[in-house]
Every structure is written in structure tokens, then in C-alpha cells.
Amino acid sequence: MTAHFDDATLTQRLAQGTGEILKGVRNVGALQGRALGEAGDDLAQNWIARVLEQHRPDDGFLSEEAADNPERLGKDRVWIIDPLDGTKEFATGRQDWAVHIALVENGTPTHAAVGLPDLGVVFHSSDARAVSGPYSKRIVVSHNRAPAVSHHIAEKLEFTTNPLGSAGAKAMHVLLGDYDAYIHAGGQYEWDSAAPVGVCMAAGLHCSRLDGTPLTYNNKDTYMPDILICRPELAEEILDLAAKFRESNGSY
């Protein structure tokens, strides 16, 4: 008989189990580079899909590694997954890759988990707590596509910008207090942020678009142009600086 897991437990077990699978695939050393990344994506996706088919067969599903089924648009409950966020980082032995698992209900993440397997931790919305205290005076940005607006905001706040890999890793390091904000423009997809946003919102961090509008999930178009995750006391100032930058430059 299959054990019954409530949504919170299932979310956490999916993130933990996926991380263990991915570490096992990498640690045996049989594959490297692109082949390792592709194997990790495929195996993690297959395992998650099988678990959800067993435990939540009536829920919708959206994943970076699976063909989109439009039936999800008619579902109140949809799992939004990135089995391996930061494939390049994973395949090259870096630590800044993550596993994203989110249950979205009526457009909002209600249960979310972000695993950072190389750090041996799974952050979960049911017990997430953001670190407070002195500012780090650092903003975390993309390795490849750090937006101009992030450098502008950092300069105005007298902060620095620092690159990191996975979106989940960036968001969790804001939660940990290593950075005060994560700013991204130039595009992501719902699976890049659903789980990190679910965890960070539960922990009390500010999460929104760069123009301040709320983040919603399970849309027909899964593209998300930009995102801000930050300490709540900085949100108003960062959003104001972002608005002024866009007004002067026409984009972020």
C-alpha cells in the first residue's frame, strides 16, 4: 500500500528525493558535461512525474522538462516544477543549482520547496524563516544576464551586485541574508520562480514583478519578464528606483 502524504510533506519529499537522485547521477562519475546535464534532467523529471501520477493524479502539471498540457489551465491545483534549475552549474560541479517543486492553487504557490542538494538542505514554505539583521549591502543577479537596472539600483543604494547560478539558489541566499535582494529582468518562465517565490513569500520576503505587480502562476503564457525578491523594508525604495530607471531608459 502506498503511503499517503499531505501536500506539505509531498512537496518536501519530492525536492529531497530529486536532489538525492541528481547527486547520485553525478557522483558516480560515469557522465560529464552536457551528457550529465541531460541525464540529470531526464531522470529527475521522470521520477517526479511518476510520484505525482501515483499521489496526485488529478492535479495539473507544468515542468521545464515536459511538454505543456493545456488541461492544466482548467485545474485549480497545478504542480509547477523545475527538476534541475541550473543544469550547467550541476554539470560542471558547481554548488549553485537547485530543485524547484511548487503546488500552485488558483494562481498562487501554496506549498513550495527549493532544494540545494550540494548544501544538504531543502527550504520549505511550511517552516521558512528569513534572516533579518544588518544589510549585506549586496544584490544577487544572473551570471549571464545581469540587467542594467540591477546595477543602477545597487549604485543608488551603495550596494554591490554579485552573480550566482540557479534562480532558486539566488532566492534562497536572499532568505539566508547573504544578499538583500534578487533582481532579474530579461525573462524567465514560471518554473524558474514558482517554488522560490512560494518559499520566500512564506518566509516574509517581498516578491513581485519589477513594477510591483503580483506574481501569478499557471498562465497560458508561462513567460515572466522580470522579478524582484527582497527584504520587505527595501521593497518600496527598490521599486521606485526601478520605475525611474525604466522611465528614463525605456526598459530594465
Side-chain angles (χ1 to χ4, degrees):
M1 179 179 292
T2 301
H4 172 74
F5 299 130
D6 61 26
D7 290 335
T9 301
L10 181 58
T11 306
Q12 191 166 12
R13 295 284 180 92
L14 282 167
Q16 182 180 358
T18 304
E20 293 300 323
I21 290 168
L22 289 167
K23 286 195 296 183
V25 170
R26 189 183 62 184
N27 290 347
V28 295
L31 295 172
Q32 294 182 341
R34 183 173 179 177
L36 172 59
E38 290 176 348
D41 283 329
D42 291 345
L43 289 166
Q45 168 64 34
N46 186 53
W47 184 75
I48 292 168
R50 286 176 178 270
V51 172
L52 289 176
E53 183 179 0
Q54 180 79 36
H55 290 272
R56 298 295 187 274
D58 297 326
D59 291 353
F61 186 72
L62 174 66
S63 172
E64 181 178 18
E65 302 302 328
D68 190 4
N69 184 345
E71 289 184 5
R72 66 177 172 82
L73 299 171
K75 304 276 189 178
D76 293 333
R77 292 166 48 96
V78 178
W79 294 85
I80 300 183
I81 309 295
D82 193 343
L84 173 50
D85 186 60
T87 303
K88 183 184 296 184
E89 286 78 12
F90 166 78
T92 55
R94 293 169 57 106
Q95 293 187 328
D96 48 346
W97 57 280
V99 175
H100 295 181
I101 309 290
L103 172 60
V104 169
E105 299 185 75
N106 299 309
T108 300
T110 54
H111 295 279
V114 175
L116 300 183
D118 278 343
L119 301 184
V121 63
V122 173
F123 297 89
H124 191 272
S125 53
S126 64
D127 61 3
R129 298 290 183 273
V131 173
S132 58
Y135 291 149
S136 68
K137 296 191 174 184
R138 301 197 300 170
I139 294 171
V140 64
V141 297
S142 170
H143 263 299
N144 302 320
R145 295 175 292 165
V149 66
S150 65
H151 300 301
H152 171 78
I153 290 170
E155 181 180 353
K156 292 296 184 181
L157 295 177
E158 298 185 347
F159 287 8
T160 61
T161 58
N162 300 86
L164 203 63
S166 156
K170 295 184 190 78
M172 294 307 99
H173 281 288
V174 175
L175 186 149
L176 289 170
D178 298 324
Y179 302 93
D180 300 315
Y182 166 34
I183 296 173
H184 183 77
Q188 290 181 336
Y189 292 89
E190 291 190 10
W191 48 76
D192 292 308
S193 67
V197 164
V199 174
C200 287
M201 288 182 67
L205 294 175
H206 171 90
C207 302
S208 74
R209 294 276 309 278
L210 273 174
D211 63 3
T213 57
L215 298 160
T216 62
Y217 295 89
N218 194 34
N219 299 294
K220 182 177 181 180
D221 182 358
T222 60
Y223 180 76
M224 305 189 80
D226 48 68
I227 189 171
L228 168 65
I229 297 175
C230 69
R231 292 174 59 146
E233 61 269 31
L234 284 173
E236 184 177 354
E237 188 172 7
I238 290 177
L239 291 170
D240 182 60
L241 289 169
K244 290 176 179 176
F245 181 88
R246 186 172 188 179
E247 184 178 345
S248 297
N249 297 274
S251 68
Y252 295 126

